[in-house]
Structure formats: structure tokens, C-alpha cells
Amino acid sequence: MGLREKKAQRNRERIVREALALFARHGYEQTTMESIARAAELSPSTLYRCFPSKDLIVLSRFKSYAEEFARVFAACSMKRPVDEALAQAIFTTLEAEDARETETLLVRSIIDKAPVARARLWDYIAEQQRQLCKLLAHRLHAKPDDLRIVLAAQTAMMIAGIAADRWRSTGRKTPSRATAAELMRLIEQQAVVFPRPPAKSVKPARRPARPAPRK
Amino acid sequence: MGLREKKAQRNRERIVREALALFARHGYEQTTMESIARAAELSPSTLYRCFPSKDLIVLSRFKSYAEEFARVFAACSMKRPVDEALAQAIFTTLEAEDARETETLLVRSIIDKAPVARARLWDYIAEQQRQLCKLLAHRLHAKPDDLRIVLAAQTAMMIAGIAADRWRSTGRKTPSRATAAELMRLIEQQAVVFPRPPAKSVKPARRPARPAPRK
DNA sequence: ATGTCAATTGACAGTAACTATCATAATCAC
DNA sequence: GTGATTATGATAGTTACTGTCAATTGACAT
């Protein structure tokens, strides 16, 4: 590997490190690209060459999770039923995220407070959903826009999102994996208030596995 | 109502109308706030007072749908089972969106091409999800962060999102309502590849209602 | 009508995230 | 080493947005 790429890699790492520190200290909006460049000891021009926009600095941390997810899924999607592979990928990715406690919490708290960065993260997640559709479609020999494929992909992302959220909001007391498993259970048992088409004939009066919380 | 508010209202409308026209003509990024102000015949200062940011101009069209959703849901959530009210609200809102063909398509195509605006829309949708959680929680006498509530709210938004997307991507040949109904059916029948916890005991080899599409 | 007061407006100045360009300096290929 | 290539940094510009302040306009009592 060339010496050039090594240097670029080190640059990127230092930028992210220094930027996160500044964001944590003064807030995302208050930190200018110029100050980041100063902290990372390079010119604004170079900074913009590495990260064309400010939010990419924060978002770069999420790419590793996305890559891990795709890797795990690809690894076991051929040996096992799809739903198991999907669940496995969710669990593994979530656990990896839980494991990096301080960094995950830091990055999320920065993002939550910064509307622009937060919005960009949503957009990134939507992109990941599309990627997952492709993976699923390939595995099931279906088209990526098959309704069942789209539904499965979005459900998976939803589960991961809720679980990760909960881990944060409970002060990392609830492991993401447990929440994700619980969500899958709820879905499978239909123990949730699901939207359904308005009663066409009978109302089966579905009985939730757990009684709905009443006052 | 004062004459003052009338004027403000008319201002807002003209701004949105002219801005959408400009966006459609030259693209979102290429249209400057200054040119919008010129087209709407007011100073940039006033424009910024009406719409603190550029994306709010585009997003303002979505607020009506969100309000309609909340209204319909509130209207029938007390008389009927929650899931029916939820489905009804989804259907009504989607049909209203379908009905405004040209405008909906225009706004969506603008947003899809503009990363910043698109990202903001995601953020807005996330906010709506939180609002829906509150509504559901109130109706079911539960806490807004109850897992079942969150799951239900996000599932509802997901269904609406997929349905609206499909209506657009199929050149408005597939009515949103039909897609939404189909999605609800798929969920209820578990005819989808759902993520589930890795097999702990047996593999029941679930049989989808419709055979999975094979090549 | 007219004067008074408050809210709206628009002009101006400033900040910061980008974008484009180009000379200079560091790497690579030989 | 030398020449081609590529990364760097300085500089200038565009644009979204923020803040301030004087001028204007509408609301309202008399």
C-alpha cells in the first residue's frame, strides 16, 4: 500500500477524532470547519477534500456498522433461513454498537442536538434500507421492489432503530439485543396494535399475549 | 381576523407557489432565496421571517397531511378499536395525497433530487412518529415509550411511507390505499420474511400465504 | 380624521458552509 | 535523479442564514 494512502487514512482519523472532541465540547453548530482544520493541523482545503461536508464527519462512524451488517448477513444468509440470518445480522450489529459505549453515546448525543446532522442520518438510514432490499432480493431471487422484500427490509431497520434508541434512552440499561428480540416476539405473536383494514366481516377480537396496559 | 394576518397568510401562499415553480424549473439547489424573494415580490428579510429556512418552504406542504392524519385519528379513535382508527387515518391521508396528483408528484420529485430537503423530510417524519406515539399512548392509557406503542406507530408510518412511495414509483398506477391494505394483510398473515430470534428449538418452516417469488 | 403605539418590513452588515481555481509541494514511476 | 502525477494550501467567490435598526404600515382610541 502506498505511503500516500496511509497518510490520507491517518488524516481522516485525526479529523474525526478532533472534530468529535470539539463537537462534544462546544456543540456541533458552534464548531466551525475552520476550527476543526486548525485542531487537525491541516488547511480548510484539505479538510474539505477529506470530508466534503460537515455532517459526513459525524456520519462516518455509522458506516462501519452498515458494513458490518452487510458482512454478517452475507456470511450466513446462504447457510440459514433468511429470517434467521437477518436476525443474526441485527443482533451482531447492535451488540457491536452497544460495546463501543462511550463513542456511540457521544456521537448520538451530538447528532440528536444538531438538526442538520440528524436529518442527514435519517437519509443515510434510508439509503441503507435500499441496500438491504437489494441483499434480500438477491437472496430470495425476487425483485428489490417486491412488496414483501421492502416490508421485510424496513421492518428490520425499524427493529434495529427502536432497539438502539431504547438502549440510549434507558441509560444503556436495556441491551439492544434484548429489545430487538422482544420486538421480534411482539411482531410474531401479533401482540401489538397493528393497523388493519377496517373490519370487512367479523372482528376476531384479537387477544394480545400481554394484556394491553390499561390505566 | 385582522387584516394583518390575512396579508401574512397570502404572503406565505405566494411564496410557496412561486418557490415551487422556481424549484421545478431550475432545481432546488439552483434556486436562491433571493430569487424566491424577487418572484414573490418581497424582501429577503420578510421571506426569512415567513420561512426561517429554505427547506421549510417545501416541507410546509406536508404539514397539512400530518394535521389531517391526526384529525381523522382523533375523530374515530374513541368510537372504534384503535387498529381500525389507525388504518382509517392512514387510508384517508393517503387518498388525500393521491388526490392532489400534480402537486404531490411535483413536491416529491423536488425533494428526491435535493439531499438537504430530503433529509429534512425524514427528520420531520420522525417527529410525526413521536406525535403518533403520544396519540396512541393517550388512547391506550399507556406510556408513549411503551414498546408496543412505539412499534405500532412506526409500523403505521412505515406502511404509509411504502404505499406513498409505490404510488409514485409506479407512475400513480397503484393507488396508495391498495398498497397499504396489502401491506396490512401481509403483516397480519405473517406472509413476509420477518426477522426472528435465531432458532432456539424447532424451525416451524413458516409457510407464506403467497409462495415466495422464485426465479 | 388624527395621533399614538406596536408590529411588520426592508436595508445593511456579518458569519460560516461550501465551491472553484491555481500555484506550490510532496509522492510515485522510472 | 527526473519527470509526471497527485495532494496541499492560499485566495476569492457564492449563498444560506443571523442580527440590528430605521422606516413604514396597520390597529385603535379619541
Side-chain angles (χ1 to χ4, degrees):
Chain A
M1 167 185 287
L3 195 146
R4 226 159 199 167
E5 299 170 35
K6 287 250 178 192
K7 207 171 174 180
Q9 192 61 28
R10 227 185 322 244
N11 262 356
R12 288 181 61 89
E13 270 164 32
R14 190 164 57 208
I15 290 172
V16 174
R17 186 160 32 87
E18 298 296 333
L20 287 185
L22 286 172
F23 292 157
R25 192 158 192 75
H26 310 283
Y28 178 82
E29 327 256 36
Q30 274 61 45
T31 306
T32 73
M33 287 295 264
E34 204 188 320
S35 69
I36 296 174
R38 250 200 316 275
E41 289 171 355
L42 32 79
S43 77
S45 309
T46 317
L47 173 54
Y48 275 107
R49 213 160 278 123
C50 292
F51 294 94
S53 76
K54 200 172 159 184
D55 30 31
L56 285 181
I57 303 178
V58 198
L59 257 51
S60 69
R61 289 301 196 201
F62 283 90
K63 293 200 175 160
S64 51
Y65 297 133
E67 283 159 12
E68 167 138 33
F69 184 94
R71 216 182 49 241
V72 174
F73 180 76
C76 57
S77 89
M78 287 309 172
K79 303 173 214 153
R80 299 210 247 158
V82 199
D83 47 6
E84 283 181 25
L86 205 44
Q88 190 56 56
I90 291 177
F91 287 145
T92 309
T93 312
L94 284 175
E95 275 171 352
E97 201 177 339
D98 282 14
R100 300 188 169 196
E101 276 206 25
T102 49
E103 196 188 77
T104 303
L105 287 175
L106 171 63
V107 173
R108 295 297 302 220
S109 92
I110 291 170
I111 286 186
D112 281 348
K113 286 182 224 147
V116 258
R118 197 180 51 211
R120 268 298 170 89
L121 176 58
W122 289 123
D123 202 39
Y124 178 70
I125 290 174
E127 171 63 26
Q128 292 311 120
Q129 261 170 10
R130 246 166 284 133
Q131 295 299 327
L132 182 52
C133 279
K134 280 189 198 164
L135 285 182
L136 281 176
H138 179 259
R139 170 64 170 79
L140 292 172
H141 306 288
K143 289 182 194 157
D145 62 344
D146 183 298
L147 257 197
R148 298 167 64 253
I149 299 290
V150 176
L151 182 54
Q154 295 217 15
T155 303
M157 299 291 285
M158 180 178 74
I159 289 174
I162 296 178
D165 258 10
R166 175 140 308 212
W167 176 74
R168 275 190 309 123
S169 68
T170 58
R172 59 190 186 289
K173 287 210 175 68
T174 323
S176 299
R177 183 185 181 122
T179 309
E182 171 72 3
L183 284 168
M184 294 175 191
R185 210 182 56 77
L186 287 173
I187 291 176
E188 200 167 12
Q189 301 189 348
Q190 303 220 332
V192 190
V193 185
F194 267 133
R196 289 184 316 156
K200 292 198 173 168
S201 46
V202 292
K203 278 183 268 176
R206 230 180 310 118
R207 194 150 304 281
R210 289 183 176 179
R214 301 277 162 185
K215 188 178 82 178
Chain B
M1 168 183 290
L3 194 145
R4 227 157 199 167
E5 299 172 35
K6 286 252 180 194
K7 208 171 174 179
Q9 192 61 28
R10 226 183 323 244
N11 262 358
R12 288 180 60 91
E13 273 165 30
R14 188 162 62 206
I15 290 171
V16 175
R17 186 159 32 87
E18 300 295 333
L20 287 186
L22 286 172
F23 291 157
R25 194 160 191 72
H26 310 279
Y28 177 83
E29 327 256 35
Q30 274 61 44
T31 307
T32 72
M33 287 296 264
E34 204 187 321
S35 69
I36 296 174
R38 251 199 316 275
E41 290 171 357
L42 31 78
S43 76
S45 308
T46 318
L47 173 55
Y48 273 108
R49 215 161 276 124
C50 292
F51 294 93
S53 77
K54 200 171 159 186
D55 31 28
L56 285 182
I57 302 178
V58 198
L59 257 51
S60 69
R61 289 300 196 202
F62 283 90
K63 293 202 174 159
S64 51
Y65 298 133
E67 284 160 11
E68 166 138 33
F69 183 94
R71 216 181 50 242
V72 174
F73 180 75
C76 57
S77 90
M78 286 310 172
K79 303 173 213 152
R80 300 209 250 158
V82 199
D83 47 6
E84 284 181 25
L86 205 43
Q88 189 57 55
I90 291 177
F91 287 146
T92 310
T93 312
L94 283 176
E95 276 170 352
E97 202 177 337
D98 282 14
R100 302 187 167 196
E101 277 206 24
T102 51
E103 195 186 80
T104 302
L105 287 175
L106 170 64
V107 173
R108 294 297 303 221
S109 91
I110 291 169
I111 286 185
D112 279 350
K113 285 181 224 147
V116 257
R118 196 181 51 212
R120 268 296 169 91
L121 176 59
W122 290 121
D123 202 39
Y124 178 70
I125 289 175
E127 171 64 26
Q128 292 312 119
Q129 261 171 11
R130 248 167 282 132
Q131 295 298 326
L132 182 53
C133 280
K134 280 190 197 163
L135 284 181
L136 281 175
H138 179 257
R139 169 65 170 77
L140 291 171
H141 307 287
K143 290 182 195 156
D145 63 343
D146 183 298
L147 255 198
R148 298 167 66 254
I149 300 290
V150 177
L151 182 54
Q154 296 217 13
T155 304
M157 300 291 285
M158 179 178 74
I159 290 174
I162 297 177
D165 257 11
R166 175 142 307 214
W167 177 74
R168 275 188 310 122
S169 68
T170 58
R172 61 192 186 286
K173 287 210 175 70
T174 322
S176 299
R177 181 182 181 124
T179 308
E182 171 72 2
L183 284 168
M184 294 175 191
R185 210 182 56 77
L186 286 173
I187 291 176
E188 200 167 13
Q189 301 187 349
Q190 303 219 333
V192 190
V193 184
F194 268 135
R196 290 185 313 157
K200 293 197 173 170
S201 46
V202 291
K203 276 184 272 178
R206 229 179 310 119
R207 192 151 306 280
R210 290 182 175 179
R214 299 277 162 185
K215 191 176 83 177

